[in-house]
Amino acid sequence: MMSDPNTITVANALPFAYRFDIRTAALVIIDMQRDFIEPGGFGETLGNDVSLLEAIVPACASVLAAWRAASGLVVHTREAHAADLSDCPPAKRNRGAPSLRIGDLGPMGRILVAGEPGNQIIDALSPVPGEWVIDKPGKGAFYATGLHERLQAAGITHLLFMGVTTEVCVQTSMREANDRGYDCLLLEDCTESYFPQFKAAAVEMMQAQGAIVGWTAPSSALLAVLATGASALPVLAGG
Ligand code: TIU
């Protein structure tokens, strides 16, 4: 049987090969915003050492460049609230004892508020025209965003995830996506947590039980096959 020339196979994904067609796949980059990666943002107000997270930026940038070169759809998300906090439940704002709460003024503007300097995606992964930017009030990318409807309208069936943090917004988004019928792959060196043991556990639990949530793979495995795969751009007939 002839194999479909549009099928890209990440052969050494776990727990088994992950196959997708770039025309029906999207690269989803979760919350690579200054709030989580730079000092003075939401991540640090929660008591975390944010320096751990920036180590994944070069790997994320390489995948993003390769995905763009293949003309694949890119979706960026930001954890962001409206300026009046109407989309921030008191249960979220009042939880725990952060040094600054959502909406308070910090060194990068108001914490986790849309449009503030801290809410911007870091320069190295900055969106370009044509890419989707989804502001989400929850941890998951599908809650109260309309993302599923947009992906359905675009015929997307496969989602490849990067971003932070692994066990919070990335895992929640991937589980939401899995329940909505998408085949999901997590690029394990393109995601990070403030807690290395939580990242390791999340990566392992997602692909356990026969990919119960989805697949995992190193970005090198994707980069190796993306270069040889078909482009999402239609091939022009004739010459
Ligand atoms: N605190 C933490 O690990 N993460 C979040 O609050 N949001 C995201 O993961 N984006």
Side-chain angles (χ1 to χ4, degrees), residues 52-114:
L52 273 175
L53 270 50
E54 66 184 13
I56 65 167
V57 172
C60 291
S62 295
V63 170
L64 179 57
W67 196 262
R68 283 172 174 163
S71 304
L73 175 65
V74 178
V75 179
H76 304 261
T77 71
R78 297 182 293 213
E79 189 172 345
H81 291 283
D84 63 2
L85 303 187
S86 56
D87 57 1
C88 182
K92 180 176 183 181
R93 184 164 196 271
N94 296 333
R95 185 84 47 84
S99 59
L100 292 170
R101 294 191 186 275
I102 296 168
D104 289 349
L105 189 60
M108 293 194 290
R110 294 179 66 204
I111 299 290
L112 231 51
V113 169

Side-chain angles (χ1 to χ4, degrees), residues 1-27:
M1 194 180 78
M2 286 274 289
S3 63
D4 182 343
N6 292 308
T7 298
I8 296 174
T9 302
V10 183
N12 59 339
L14 289 174
F16 49 88
Y18 179 78
R19 294 190 169 82
F20 68 98
D21 180 329
I22 189 111
R23 298 168 303 178
T24 54
L27 179 65

Side-chain angles (χ1 to χ4, degrees), residues 34-36 38-46 50 99 107-108 111 118:
R34 299 179 67 198
D35 291 300
F36 296 108
E38 296 184 16
F42 185 57
E44 191 175 75
T45 72
L46 296 172
V50 298
S99 59
M108 293 194 290
I111 299 290

Side-chain angles (χ1 to χ4, degrees), residues 49-181:
D49 172 6
V50 298
S51 66
L52 273 175
L53 270 50
E54 66 184 13
I56 65 167
V57 172
C60 291
S62 295
V63 170
L64 179 57
W67 196 262
R68 283 172 174 163
S71 304
L73 175 65
V74 178
V75 179
H76 304 261
T77 71
R78 297 182 293 213
E79 189 172 345
H81 291 283
D84 63 2
L85 303 187
S86 56
D87 57 1
C88 182
K92 180 176 183 181
R93 184 164 196 271
N94 296 333
R95 185 84 47 84
S99 59
L100 292 170
R101 294 191 186 275
I102 296 168
D104 289 349
L105 189 60
M108 293 194 290
R110 294 179 66 204
I111 299 290
L112 231 51
V113 169
E116 297 289 329
N119 211 230
Q120 304 310 309
I121 291 169
I122 59 169
D123 287 345
L125 304 174
S126 201
V128 299
E131 296 178 352
W132 300 3
V133 180
I134 305 285
D135 281 346
K136 60 186 189 51
K139 302 306 181 192
F142 289 81
Y143 169 64
T145 62
L147 176 58
H148 181 50
E149 292 71 20
R150 287 186 69 179
L151 291 170
Q152 292 295 110
I156 301 296
T157 56
H158 289 62
L159 301 177
L160 290 81
F161 283 88
M162 314 197 293
V164 296
T165 62
T166 317
E167 83 283 9
V168 183
C169 290
V170 175
Q171 180 167 218
T172 302
S173 298
M174 198 159 145
R175 287 175 181 273
E176 285 182 330
N178 188 48
D179 280 352
R180 285 164 178 77

